[in-house]
Amino acid sequence: MQDTLNLFVMNIGQWLSANLGTLNNPDQIIVEIARWLRTEFGNWGVVGFILANLMATVPLIAVFSGCFALTTWLERKGLGRIQNRYGPNRVGPYGLFQPMADGIKMLLKEDIVPERADKIGHFLAPVIIMIPAMTGLVFLPIGRNIIAASIDSALLFFFAIGSIVSLSVFMAGWASHNKFSLVGGMRAIAQLVSYEMPLILSAVVVVMFVGSMNTSVIVEAQQIKSWVTSDAPALQCLGQVLGWHVFQPWGLMGFLLLFVSALAEANRSPFDLPEADSEIIAGHLTEYSGFKYALFFLAEYVNTFAIIGICTTLFLGGWNGPNIRPPWSDDPQALLIPGFVWFFLKIFVLMGIMIWIRGTLPRLRIDQLMGFAWKFLLPLAIINLLVAGCFYHMEWYFGWPFSILILCKSYAIVVRLNKSKLVNSNRTYTYA
Amino acid sequence: MNTSTGYAPRNYKIVKHKDKTLLEVAMGPHHPSTHGVFRMDVKLDGETIIDLIPYFGYLHRNHEKLAEDMTYFSTMPYTDRLDYLCSMTNNWAYALTVEKLANISVPERAEYIRVIIGELTRLVNHMLLVGFYINDLGAIGTPLLYALREREKILDLFEWASGARMMCNYLRFGGIREDVSDEWLASCNKLVDAFPYFLDEYDQLLTGNEIVISRSQGVGVLSKELAINAGITGPMLRASGVNYDLRKTDSYSIYDRFNFRVPLGQFGDCYDRFMLRLLEMRESITILKQALRDIPKGEIQSKVPPVLKPKPGEAYGRIESPKGELGFYLVSDGSVNPYRYRVRPPSLINLTLLRDLCIGHKLADTIIIFGSIDIVLGEVDR
Amino acid sequence: MKPFDIQPLTQRFPFVHADAFGNALIVPAKNLVSIVEWIQASRLYLCDTLSNVTGVDFLPKVIEEEGKDSEGNSVKIKKNIPGYIEVVYHFYSIELKRGPLTIKVRSNGRDNVRLPSLMPHYRSAEFQEREIFDLYGVYFEGHYDLRRLLMWESFEDFPMRKDYVPPNDNEYEPIASRHSGGDA
């Protein structure tokens, strides 16, 4: 059975190699195209030079804007189904052209600026929120050798740029000259700044373990090298999956902390207090209409993608997935299914979980939100750091039970410390 | 006995604060969560509320003066529009008062149908409140749509019986307008049998939810004495632990024939008011089962003169509407129009304590407290 | 609910008397507060909740009564009954579960009406007395914050009075019809 399978695959591989040029590395198809384009542009002089440099950024923006469109469709459909109704189903088959319709509507709307608003601030706020959101996408390793900028301090850069978002949100709230927007902006600043701490501390664990802040190095470190370079396909599959950091005890805790902080950084439910729909009608976005609102929306989603991307890169293995090495290839690092398939799959799964959480949970109040960040997530993140350090230096037979014990105990202690003494959860209702 | 100076509001004089760093926000008539056109001017210190002044009157249609120019019978459709979510209990309160004033009796079958319709209205109202309460907490509509799904089934029954889903105009003095068929009763039975599964589903989803508990427990605590003194009635009073249900104390209509319990709360906060409405829905199901089992055949309206001219007198009739004690005070001087027609609105009286309950809490809690008081602006402003 | 027995009340305060319909007590305005304090405290009444506060407007009217003139012949005599505004209170007792105690207070005349407020004793009077102030023009002394409730602050007249004439401020739409003179 194994032999016939091998023979079959080798025949296809030979056919592919014969007809599509050298396809030694199926997962490097984009890299091959890019290299071919770059050699073409090299012959075009200055224009070619500019185009070659744009070749890294324009596809990135295009692809993630496409992801954004798909996500808005997915969110509306998903929320609709959770709420026992259809989502949009008129505009295309299953409503797939709805984002296009939304985009056209947003572009055609009148741009209303309040009379006493701070015009410069009001205009610049959407621009300033777009820039860090898009810049954050640059550090995501989408596949092997597919990364827009491979910098040695990528993670640091990412978090530094990501905090500009809070500045822009407050700018929007202040410049609108509206009390509701101001309240929304103040809440947003408090929330975004508080949740930076657990976010960064959960990410630092991985840096400590891997030893580098470069995102491609972090992804490559999540493969079990000895298994991946062996010859059995089963071991190659498992080696790509079981090495993910999420399967280590400190990694699981770190992933959960990072995911919850990501929900808060992206202003999504249950932390969507700045744009709380039922209290301060859209918060800092109240006075924005038309294309500026669309830009805010786009920037929020792209920021979400960037943070989810960092989540998958650090803990879920980035572009690793159950891949096997194609048997016809002679490159020891080639993979059959391209890495970007796994990357986008993981991003959409996490996005789906975020949509699911949004449809299910009510939102927290501001003091509960801050209490959650400072008194719950932060101690757990620090303890996680400690546990990861111990794990690194102990043998595996001490490491696993020790870390699981410490993490569970500390979780229980933090939960007990945070229980409010005022309310009584077990209520009895008498009947007269 | 302490004559209530303890119940008077603290520092009621509205003075301008000298500290200029307070933010005054008008949660104005157009707001997604004020359940109608209602305005609150809040003074905020950061997120904490220092002062709150409610403004009503945006929906004032002068119902009481209109009724003085119309006959008793013509006012019946206008009573639908008072508390527009539970129209038939408004009809019932008015019909009860006029029957008291003019000594009209009601046949048996009509009383049973009134009780069935009244309890179905109670289910409709409580479902709406429970759904909107969680919606105000921030769950973007999921529990609300589940509750509205059930409500639609009951509104279909109303449409079958009376021709309209909301403004039914179904009750008349001395009975009801039209009889219900046996298929309607069978359909009602089916709905009543299936309803507890929805309540169980809601219970499972929401009453143990961490976020719901931490946001509504301890918020807007109302003490027993203050509630009694302020004339609060309905589920809001019973959530503070006072055993006062007009269906049991007044025993109007035929409620003394039914065997049901009255749930009481313990702390009087928003969570208790929310839970109490879920428990009351279960009690309504018990009453409905008994009424549907015992309903006799018979006529549905007693003989009433076409133009009603009651003898000079006055009457105050009240029922336990889903929101509280809905009372009508009628003074008749022997002519076809009432001399004075007054509605005692439970929503307005329950709003008396909004300021007391909200001061000291955060802005986000105001909406929740307001939602748990359960008002309808049509009744507040008439 | 069983209605209250008004015997003890009329015995304690002999100046109250029942009204024409028989079930309400008419109380002079200056004694209202003392009576209310008594019924709140007395063990027979224990009225802890004020359920309803209503205002009723009575215009001055002229009635003809049977009377005797100086010769002993029965003749119709015209009597002027001055108008008054009446405030009706319905008290209930939750503690004793007893029925309504209706108290009516009449004002002197219909201009510049001032009556004592029950707000220091019952919070439920807060909004209802404001509404009576708004719609009937009765000034309640002792109310903590008496302003208009349903009409806007700068409104002038009192809408629920029987002699209220609504202002003719309807907006007429300028449409051409065969009843108008051609132009508008």
Side-chain angles (χ1 to χ4, degrees):
Chain A
M1 182 66 187
Q2 189 70 6
D3 302 350
T4 49
L5 197 62
N6 264 340
L7 215 55
F8 184 55
V9 168
M10 205 160 328
N11 278 333
I12 291 184
Q14 280 170 351
W15 183 86
L16 282 176
S17 313
N19 289 324
L20 290 180
T22 54
L23 211 59
N24 233 354
N25 270 336
D27 70 321
Q28 296 291 293
I29 192 164
I30 293 186
V31 178
E32 297 280 335
I33 294 176
R35 195 171 11 194
W36 174 75
L37 275 177
R38 217 176 279 127
T39 48
E40 283 294 313
F41 291 152
N43 301 332
W44 290 4
V46 178
V47 171
F49 178 72
I50 295 175
L51 281 177
N53 281 328
L54 280 181
M55 211 167 53
T57 50
V58 166
L60 196 73
I61 298 181
V63 163
F64 276 96
S65 303
C67 278
F68 156 70
L70 196 62
T71 307
T72 51
W73 172 84
L74 190 68
E75 169 150 23
R76 287 174 70 168
K77 276 296 218 188
L79 275 183
R81 285 290 174 169
I82 294 178
Q83 291 170 1
N84 199 24
R85 57 182 174 96
Y86 297 119
N89 59 353
R90 298 273 175 202
V91 189
Y94 294 107
L96 275 170
F97 296 152
Q98 183 71 37
M100 211 161 25
D102 280 341
I104 296 176
K105 176 194 79 164
M106 290 287 191
L107 284 173
L108 293 178
K109 268 198 185 173
E110 179 189 353
D111 190 22
I112 303 176
V113 178
E115 196 179 319
R116 281 195 261 174
D118 188 0
K119 300 267 189 311
I120 300 180
H122 192 88
F123 179 78
L124 278 182
V127 175
I128 292 185
I129 200 175
M130 278 293 286
I131 297 176
M134 289 290 187
T135 316
L137 294 173
V138 150
F139 309 108
L140 298 177
I142 302 180
R144 191 160 62 91
N145 298 334
I146 307 176
I147 185 168
S150 178
I151 311 178
D152 266 335
S153 56
L155 216 54
L156 182 65
F157 216 134
F158 175 79
F159 288 125
I161 289 184
S163 40
I164 303 180
V165 173
S166 30
L167 170 71
S168 147
V169 162
F170 188 65
M171 213 160 107
W174 175 261
S176 296
H177 199 84
N178 179 356
K179 282 176 192 151
F180 283 132
S181 304
L182 190 62
V183 169
M186 294 196 293
R187 285 177 175 179
I189 282 267
Q191 175 182 323
L192 291 172
V193 165
S194 329
Y195 278 89
E196 293 276 346
M197 292 290 295
L199 190 79
I200 297 180
L201 279 178
S202 344
V204 160
V205 187
V206 175
V207 174
M208 213 172 76
F209 227 77
V210 171
S212 160
M213 285 199 276
N214 193 347
T215 41
S216 17
V217 170
I218 293 178
V219 168
E220 298 227 335
Q222 294 186 52
Q223 297 174 336
I224 304 181
K225 277 289 180 220
S226 55
W227 288 8
V228 169
T229 48
S230 74
D231 276 330
L235 269 184
Q236 288 169 10
C237 272
L238 285 179
Q240 303 244 336
V241 170
L242 287 183
W244 295 355
H245 288 149
V246 79
F247 292 125
Q248 322 254 345
W250 52 268
L252 184 62
M253 176 68 94
F255 172 64
L256 291 174
L257 292 174
L258 190 68
F259 190 65
V260 171
S261 309
L263 273 179
E265 283 288 318
N267 284 343
R268 291 201 53 103
S269 210
F271 303 109
D272 62 348
L273 212 55
E275 41 181 62
D277 200 30
S278 53
E279 296 151 31
I280 45 169
I281 328 127
H284 59 267
L285 300 177
T286 316
E287 298 288 346
Y288 284 92
S289 63
F291 194 57
K292 292 186 186 155
Y293 188 78
L295 271 183
F296 263 109
F297 217 53
L298 179 70
E300 179 188 310
Y301 274 91
V302 167
N303 196 25
T304 313
F305 277 127
I307 296 187
I308 289 183
I310 290 288
C311 237
T312 60
T313 312
L314 293 176
F315 290 102
L316 288 179
W319 46 261
N320 288 320
N323 262 327
I324 56 173
R325 204 163 59 225
W328 64 81
S329 136
D330 45 5
D331 188 350
Q333 284 186 332
L335 295 165
L336 186 60
I337 304 176
F340 56 83
V341 168
W342 299 114
F343 182 77
F344 282 109
L345 192 69
K346 288 174 202 173
I347 286 197
F348 275 107
V349 163
L350 283 182
M351 197 71 197
I353 295 180
M354 280 191 168
I355 292 174
W356 184 5
I357 294 181
R358 180 176 184 207
T360 322
L361 291 176
R363 73 171 69 93
L364 289 174
R365 208 172 55 206
I366 184 73
D367 57 336
Q368 292 168 345
L369 205 141
M370 308 286 276
F372 187 64
W374 292 100
K375 295 192 279 194
F376 191 87
L377 292 181
L378 193 60
L380 279 180
I382 295 177
I383 293 178
N384 195 26
L385 209 56
L386 182 72
V387 165
C390 293
F391 190 89
Y392 189 71
H393 287 285
M394 284 185 188
E395 300 294 334
W396 69 268
Y397 42 84
F398 271 142
W400 276 76
F402 171 77
S403 26
I404 292 179
L405 185 69
I406 296 284
L407 284 175
C408 292
K409 199 74 189 130
S410 55
Y411 176 75
I413 291 177
V414 171
V415 163
R416 180 121 48 91
L417 283 177
N418 270 329
K419 263 205 188 325
S420 167
K421 293 174 190 52
L422 292 174
V423 302
N424 183 11
S425 299
N426 300 326
R427 297 269 172 117
T428 53
Y429 293 94
T430 58
Y431 285 95
Chain B
M1 178 177 137
N2 180 13
T3 55
S4 330
T5 42
Y7 310 135
R10 319 163 248 167
N11 308 325
Y12 200 91
K13 275 265 169 270
I14 315 279
V15 294
K16 288 267 180 280
H17 278 262
K18 301 179 191 61
D19 187 359
K20 292 269 193 290
T21 59
L22 292 182
L23 182 68
E24 288 187 34
V25 176
M27 303 188 68
H30 296 283
H31 195 278
S33 283
T34 55
H35 300 290
V37 272
F38 175 76
R39 184 173 132 210
M40 288 187 279
D41 278 352
V42 293
K43 287 202 176 68
L44 294 172
D45 175 20
E47 285 260 345
T48 318
I49 294 190
I50 305 291
D51 197 6
L52 183 147
I53 311 173
Y55 288 93
F56 329 108
Y58 288 93
L59 200 52
H60 181 57
R61 296 158 290 182
N62 218 350
H63 174 214
E64 300 181 353
K65 190 146 181 102
L66 285 175
E68 292 175 7
D69 290 332
M70 300 192 289
T71 62
Y72 287 91
F73 181 57
S74 325
T75 329
M76 187 62 102
Y78 285 75
T79 55
D80 276 335
R81 276 106 175 131
L82 277 176
D83 173 3
Y84 38 76
L85 297 172
C86 345
S87 61
M88 294 207 256
T89 44
N90 302 346
N91 287 351
W92 194 358
Y94 182 54
L96 200 79
T97 313
V98 171
E99 284 153 15
K100 232 186 190 175
L101 187 66
N103 267 333
I104 305 173
S105 67
V106 183
E108 283 285 307
R109 185 174 167 90
E111 291 275 28
Y112 272 93
I113 294 182
R114 277 186 181 183
V115 166
I116 292 174
I117 297 275
E119 293 304 317
L120 283 175
T121 313
R122 194 176 310 268
L123 286 177
V124 156
N125 181 15
H126 285 339
M127 268 196 291
L128 204 66
L129 173 95
V130 156
F132 271 110
Y133 179 74
I134 308 283
N135 194 33
D136 287 341
L137 273 180
I140 315 189
T142 309
L144 174 63
L145 286 170
Y146 290 171
L148 288 182
R149 177 191 69 198
E150 297 301 317
R151 185 171 175 256
E152 288 296 314
K153 299 178 186 162
I154 301 186
L155 289 181
D156 283 342
L157 278 180
F158 284 173
E159 191 180 4
W160 189 352
S162 74
R165 278 154 50 106
M166 276 171 80
M167 313 299 178
C168 298
N169 188 15
Y170 187 56
L171 272 74
R172 296 284 178 263
F173 310 133
I176 54 180
R177 169 171 48 130
E178 248 181 62
D179 204 353
V180 294
S181 57
D182 287 332
E183 288 94 13
W184 191 92
L185 290 170
S187 203
C188 200
N189 250 324
K190 220 167 57 152
L191 188 134
V192 165
D193 286 335
F195 204 78
Y197 295 110
F198 159 71
L199 283 176
D200 291 335
E201 181 188 50
Y202 231 73
D203 250 337
Q204 211 180 349
L205 280 178
L206 285 167
T207 48
N209 190 342
E210 273 280 327
I211 299 184
V212 170
I213 287 182
S214 63
R215 272 198 79 180
S216 15
Q217 285 191 354
V219 169
V221 178
L222 179 61
S223 67
K224 240 192 222 189
E225 293 80 17
L226 183 56
I228 297 179
N229 190 261
I232 311 273
T233 47
M236 197 169 163
L237 180 69
R238 292 196 283 278
S240 301
V242 179
N243 177 15
Y244 189 60
D245 186 339
L246 294 181
R247 294 175 290 175
K248 289 273 194 195
T249 58
D250 271 8
S251 302
Y252 59 93
S253 181
I254 47 166
Y255 270 108
D256 44 2
R257 298 188 206 173
F258 298 114
N259 191 10
F260 63 100
R261 304 177 294 179
V262 172
L264 295 178
Q266 198 182 351
F267 290 96
D269 54 9
C270 287
Y271 188 72
D272 269 347
R273 283 177 227 136
F274 165 71
M275 276 304 293
L276 204 80
R277 283 171 173 113
L278 283 178
L279 293 172
E280 277 195 5
M281 279 203 264
R282 292 189 195 267
E283 298 304 319
S284 293
I285 299 282
T286 359
I287 300 179
L288 273 172
K289 285 204 176 110
Q290 294 169 38
L292 283 169
R293 189 189 61 204
D294 295 338
I295 181 167
K297 298 250 177 255
E299 53 180 29
I300 50 162
Q301 190 171 4
S302 59
K303 277 251 166 268
V304 175
V307 177
L308 188 65
K309 271 199 199 182
K311 293 203 194 48
E314 64 179 28
Y316 179 64
R318 54 189 201 153
I319 66 158
E320 174 83 17
S321 87
K323 303 219 157 42
E325 170 192 332
L326 174 64
F328 277 77
Y329 175 68
L330 284 171
V331 176
S332 140
D333 58 352
S335 68
V336 295
N337 309 329
Y339 188 77
R340 172 73 167 113
Y341 168 102
R342 146 99 182 160
V343 179
R344 183 232 188 245
S347 303
L348 179 69
I349 315 272
N350 287 356
L351 267 186
T352 312
L353 293 179
L354 181 67
R355 188 177 180 271
D356 287 55
L357 291 178
C358 284
I359 286 186
H361 288 291
K362 304 267 183 289
L363 185 62
D365 295 329
T366 316
I367 303 286
I368 296 183
I369 296 174
F370 187 71
S372 73
I373 296 182
D374 191 12
I375 70 164
V376 166
L377 263 301
E379 210 174 39
V380 168
D381 293 338
R382 272 153 292 146
Chain C
M1 262 191 187
K2 259 194 339 184
F4 276 114
D5 183 15
I6 56 175
Q7 264 298 74
L9 192 72
T10 43
Q11 272 178 353
R12 172 94 167 75
F13 300 97
F15 43 80
V16 307
H17 56 278
D19 73 337
F21 303 137
N23 46 1
L25 295 171
I26 302 193
V27 166
K30 56 186 190 313
N31 302 103
L32 178 67
V33 177
S34 50
I35 291 183
V36 161
E37 282 176 353
W38 186 76
I39 60 174
Q40 253 190 334
S42 142
R43 247 174 292 126
L44 288 168
Y45 289 100
L46 267 187
C47 288
D48 43 12
T49 165
L50 170 62
S51 172
N52 186 25
V53 182
T54 313
V56 192
D57 184 23
F58 290 94
L59 289 171
K61 56 185 180 204
V62 176
I63 59 169
E64 295 188 338
E65 266 194 348
E66 294 284 334
K68 305 227 183 275
D69 67 352
S70 41
E71 287 138 18
N73 297 330
S74 71
V75 98
K76 290 216 189 294
I77 305 179
K78 283 199 203 284
K79 228 169 93 157
N80 272 343
I81 299 194
Y84 53 91
I85 296 185
E86 188 178 75
V87 178
V88 183
Y89 298 92
H90 287 89
F91 293 95
Y92 282 85
S93 170
I94 294 184
E95 188 90 20
L96 304 175
K97 301 235 188 318
R98 298 280 307 252
L101 177 65
T102 320
I103 290 187
K104 296 190 182 182
V105 178
R106 293 193 175 158
S107 69
N108 295 328
R110 291 169 79 239
D111 304 317
N112 199 14
V113 176
R114 301 180 86 89
L115 290 176
S117 163
L118 290 188
M119 189 175 162
H121 304 275
Y122 292 100
R123 275 299 287 283
S124 57
E126 180 181 342
F127 282 170
Q128 306 192 67
E129 286 182 352
R130 269 178 67 181
E131 185 188 335
I132 298 178
F133 167 67
D134 183 10
L135 300 176
Y136 281 97
V138 175
Y139 188 86
F140 286 96
E141 286 161 337
H143 195 280
Y144 294 179
D145 180 30
L146 196 63
R147 17 181 198 118
R148 286 191 176 266
L149 187 81
L150 295 175
M151 309 301 288
W152 59 93
E153 291 285 331
S154 51
F155 191 76
E156 285 291 326
D157 208 348
F158 303 112
M160 279 293 282
R161 290 198 174 190
K162 292 284 184 187
D163 54 356
Y164 173 73
V165 174
N168 186 13
D169 55 359
N170 297 325
E171 295 172 1
Y172 292 101
E173 207 171 293
I175 49 170
S177 76
R178 57 192 155 105
H179 301 291
S180 62
D183 254 342

